[in-house]
Amino acid sequence: DQQVKQNSPSLSVQEGRISILNCDYTNSMFDYFLWYKKYPAEGPTFLISISSIKDKNEDGRFTVFLNKSAKHLSLHIVPSQPGDSAVYFCAAAGDSGNTPLVFGKGTRLSVIA
Amino acid sequence: EPEVTQTPSHQVTQMGQEVILRCVPISNHLYFYWYRQILGQKVEFLVSFYNNEISEKSEIFDDQFSVERPDGSNFTLKIRSTKLEDSAMYFCASSEQQLNQPQHFGDGTRLSIL
């Protein structure tokens, strides 16, 4: 039961370029979406979120885009930096964030200097 | 920046023993959660807790599991009789009582059942 899917297990990007991480979901009750970054031996760190009333949210180098009709969201990181190398998890919740998070499997981003 | 803290960072326990994992959520947060991640798998929801009671739980959270908020700061997960398949990273999270607020996670407890 994969309600949240991250189909790319890994991604390599040159430093300074754009990283684009993708996520698809199947449950139309989800209305709040989040991206987390995770380093080894640490917990998921919240990066950025978006509610379903928006189609874009930007915070510094990070932008999340939501396409509700396609049930697709993406995280853009620009410019990518070596410190961005980590596993990125997409997560979704319903009821404006008041239901438990459903996570994707994660995408390992490697930013090469 | 306030953070969720979890202890211990690593717990090794014999199968069949009880284990208690501890969490101190962010102080003004009112929603608390436990998740787990078995090696190589997704992060999975276990239980949520609000107003001193369980608000939601998953199929994983069976009678062997319990949660408690024994005082104003700690939030604990107890596994009564551990099984080999309980070996995982256990993450505690907390969030504010408002719409569209992110959950903030601790660094987890690695539970190893022998």
Side-chain angles (χ1 to χ4, degrees):
Chain A
D1 176 18
Q2 285 200 73
Q3 297 187 70
V4 177
K5 301 180 205 177
Q6 293 177 257
N7 291 321
S8 298
S10 64
L11 174 69
S12 284
V13 171
Q14 285 287 124
E15 180 180 6
R17 299 287 186 103
I18 185 170
S19 295
I20 300 176
L21 297 104
N22 294 302
C23 178
D24 297 294
Y25 63 96
T26 56
N27 189 338
S28 41
M29 299 301 291
F30 291 148
D31 60 5
Y32 182 55
F33 304 90
L34 309 91
W35 285 95
Y36 287 86
K37 177 168 83 170
K38 188 179 181 304
Y39 294 118
E42 293 184 11
T45 299
F46 169 69
L47 267 181
I48 192 168
S49 63
I50 188 166
S51 79
S52 59
I53 61 172
K54 294 185 174 183
D55 53 20
K56 177 182 173 180
N57 188 26
E58 193 171 351
D59 183 2
R61 295 186 298 115
F62 302 92
T63 303
V64 55
F65 295 91
L66 176 63
N67 182 333
K68 288 185 290 292
S69 60
K71 294 192 175 71
H72 177 83
L73 62 154
S74 60
L75 174 68
H76 293 210
I77 307 173
V78 56
S80 301
Q81 299 172 353
D84 295 329
S85 297
V87 178
Y88 288 77
F89 291 98
C90 171
D95 195 21
S96 300
N98 285 324
T99 64
L101 295 178
V102 179
F103 282 84
K105 286 188 173 182
T107 297
R108 181 177 301 279
L109 174 67
S110 301
V111 180
I112 304 159
Chain B
E1 186 174 322
E3 55 182 31
V4 176
T5 57
Q6 290 185 244
T7 55
S9 56
H10 190 187
Q11 175 80 45
V12 182
T13 302
Q14 290 288 331
M15 187 172 61
Q17 296 297 304
E18 175 183 285
V19 66
I20 297 176
L21 310 182
R22 302 181 193 279
C23 170
V24 179
I26 295 173
S27 61
N28 65 331
H29 286 186
L30 296 177
Y31 286 91
F32 314 117
Y33 309 84
W34 284 100
Y35 292 81
R36 79 173 185 191
Q37 185 180 27
I38 294 171
L39 187 64
Q41 298 188 21
K42 288 185 180 186
V43 176
E44 303 173 287
F45 167 73
L46 291 177
V47 65
S48 58
F49 193 85
Y50 170 71
N51 200 23
N52 283 321
E53 59 183 26
I54 290 174
S55 48
E56 197 163 345
K57 59 183 181 178
S58 71
E59 296 173 345
I60 304 168
F61 194 87
D62 62 22
D63 292 344
Q64 294 299 311
F65 290 87
S66 62
V67 289
E68 195 177 32
R69 187 155 163 82
D71 53 44
S73 58
N74 289 287
F75 179 51
T76 62
L77 174 70
K78 182 193 291 187
I79 309 175
R80 251 180 285 281
S81 177
T82 49
K83 304 187 281 287
L84 292 176
E85 54 264 39
D86 294 328
S87 296
M89 283 293 293
Y90 287 80
F91 295 107
C92 173
S94 67
S95 64
E96 296 181 54
Q97 186 185 8
Q98 291 183 40
L99 299 180
N100 295 326
Q101 290 299 313
Q103 294 176 27
H104 294 272
F105 285 75
D107 282 341
T109 293
R110 178 174 299 284
L111 178 62
S112 300
I113 307 301
L114 305 179

